[in-house]
Amino acid sequence: MKLPDPPTRPVIVSHRLFSASRRAPSRSVCIAHSLSLAMAAVAAIAVTSAPFAASAAPSLRVDAVLPRPAMSSTRIAFARPALGLFRRLKVPEERAWGLRGGVAPRRGARGVAAVRAVWKQEVLWAEAPVADVALACEEHYHFVLDVSGNRELMEGHTKAGQFVQVKFGDSKPAFLAIASAPKVAASGSMEFLIKAVEGTTAGMLCSLGKGDKVELSQVMGSGFRMDQVAPAEDYSTILLFATGSGISPIRSLLEAGFDAHKRKDVRLYYGARNLDRMSYQDRFKDWEASGVQVIPVLSQPTGPWNGAQGYVQAAFSNDKGSIVGSQTGAVLCGHKQMALDVTDILLAAGVAKEKILLNF
């Protein structure tokens, strides 16, 4: 049987095994199970009639029931010149059945195994020089990269809410939301708001200077789906929520524009510990001029403060006013608990779940 040529993008074979038994079989038995499943996946790929294409996104799944499978991990690799087809295959133990995509077996089932061959987005790295690094507030840095030498990066940022991966040397990549509007990338720059955390890649980036070079991935993610809350006449209320560095993609959205001036009620609830830790205060007037009411919320103000105090979700709950759910959309980015609490409030007010937009 002749196998078709491999795709230009890597195929990831993921393997999950779950056992209803507390007693694990020998390693040789585990490896035998893994190899048999891998061969099933290869055979299934071989019989497909359509050729692979770089732009396609097919999905293959082969399920099999195995007697009491259990294994901590193994490695299966299929190698060809210039193509590595491998992934560390991890199997959750019984105590971890409910975690991160694991599916607990049905009661009484002897075991479940799955082999999947799916497309995974390939990360393409390019070098980019640092154009500017400056303190934005007490713990965040304004970080600018010059992407004028890479047309794909200049044209890749098309929607607010998209992100890139950035690394320096052998560091682990940091995922950074783009803070500037797409039109800024088109002119040759990308701006970010980075929290300086010691010992992390983000913290390392904050210590760089103009001219230092980093590695930058292509623009990733689909961004905020603002088409879900268009046209403006049908969604007269747009509520935006951000905490900390979560203001980054919200700033991109505000400065890219979403017809805020055509809507009746557009509010931004922006939370920080105090004014010293709140970035972009110099942009508030411009945002207000575009039709957005900016509501700073301080959880621990350090001086006299007459504005909203506490957490963003509490501030919104206290003055949300009358919301017509069918005419309301929301955009959230920031602290997880904030997003969960605000989502609950919006759903209770009749806002449809698909109208509550996130950037991931």
Side-chain angles (χ1 to χ4, degrees), residues 40-61:
V42 172
I45 294 173
V47 298
T48 57
S49 58
F52 287 105
S55 60
S59 178
L60 168 70
R61 173 170 177 166

Side-chain angles (χ1 to χ4, degrees), residues 194 203 294 336:
I194 306 178
V294 180
K336 180 179 178 180

Side-chain angles (χ1 to χ4, degrees), residues 79-301:
R80 285 189 56 160
L83 174 67
L85 222 62
F86 61 90
R87 179 183 177 182
R88 187 79 175 174
L89 304 181
K90 293 183 179 294
V91 180
E93 298 178 2
E94 184 176 1
R95 65 177 176 270
W97 276 345
L99 299 179
R100 295 186 182 179
V103 180
R106 299 184 304 274
R107 290 182 180 274
R110 293 178 65 83
V112 178
V115 175
R116 295 181 182 178
V118 297
W119 295 116
K120 182 178 180 180
Q121 184 175 9
E122 185 179 6
V123 179
L124 305 175
W125 296 99
E127 201 172 62
V130 176
D132 188 29
V133 181
L135 195 64
C137 69
E138 190 173 283
E139 60 178 6
H140 293 100
Y141 280 79
H142 179 62
F143 186 78
V144 185
L145 291 177
D146 179 358
V147 298
S148 60
N150 190 311
R151 182 169 295 277
E152 289 187 2
L153 286 170
M154 293 174 65
E155 298 176 350
H157 187 202
T158 59
K159 289 184 179 179
Q162 291 179 299
F163 65 93
V164 295
Q165 297 184 48
V166 182
K167 61 181 181 179
F168 179 72
D170 296 328
S171 69
K172 183 179 179 180
F175 289 74
L176 302 178
I178 303 171
S180 49
K183 61 185 178 183
V184 176
S187 67
S189 296
M190 276 189 185
E191 301 178 11
F192 306 88
L193 183 67
I194 306 178
K195 183 175 182 178
V197 180
E198 187 176 354
T200 67
T201 300
M204 187 184 303
L205 295 175
C206 294
S207 67
L208 297 180
K210 184 176 181 179
D212 289 334
K213 293 183 178 180
V214 300
E215 287 188 81
L216 181 67
S217 75
Q218 74 271 39
V219 179
M220 307 176 110
S222 57
F224 295 122
R225 291 287 309 277
M226 296 306 291
D227 58 298
Q228 293 288 321
V229 290
E233 293 76 14
D234 293 343
Y235 296 91
S236 57
T237 299
I238 296 292
L239 304 167
L240 304 104
F241 303 88
T243 56
S245 59
I247 193 64
S248 295
I250 300 294
R251 174 203 154 189
S252 180
L253 177 63
L254 292 171
E255 297 179 5
F258 56 96
D259 293 330
H261 63 286
K262 295 182 180 179
R263 307 177 195 262
K264 295 180 180 179
D265 181 13
V266 181
R267 286 174 266 166
L268 165 62
Y269 292 86
Y270 176 16
R273 179 175 296 180
N274 52 55
L275 287 176
D276 292 335
R277 296 194 178 189
M278 179 168 280
S279 301
Y280 300 143
Q281 294 180 53
D282 57 331
R283 296 177 178 269
F284 287 0
K285 288 185 178 180
D286 290 338
W287 296 349
E288 293 262 6
S290 71
V292 180
Q293 180 187 2
V294 180
I295 305 172
V297 183
L298 305 183
S299 60
Q300 298 178 28

Side-chain angles (χ1 to χ4, degrees), residues 279-336:
S279 301
Y280 300 143
Q281 294 180 53
D282 57 331
R283 296 177 178 269
F284 287 0
K285 288 185 178 180
D286 290 338
W287 296 349
E288 293 262 6
S290 71
V292 180
Q293 180 187 2
V294 180
I295 305 172
V297 183
L298 305 183
S299 60
Q300 298 178 28
T302 54
W305 176 247
N306 296 321
Q309 186 170 338
Y311 293 117
V312 164
Q313 52 268 51
F316 171 58
S317 180
N318 291 336
D319 71 349
K320 68 178 183 294
S322 178
I323 294 176
V324 179
S326 61
Q327 300 175 13
T328 300
V331 183
L332 289 74
C333 190
H335 193 274
K336 180 179 178 180

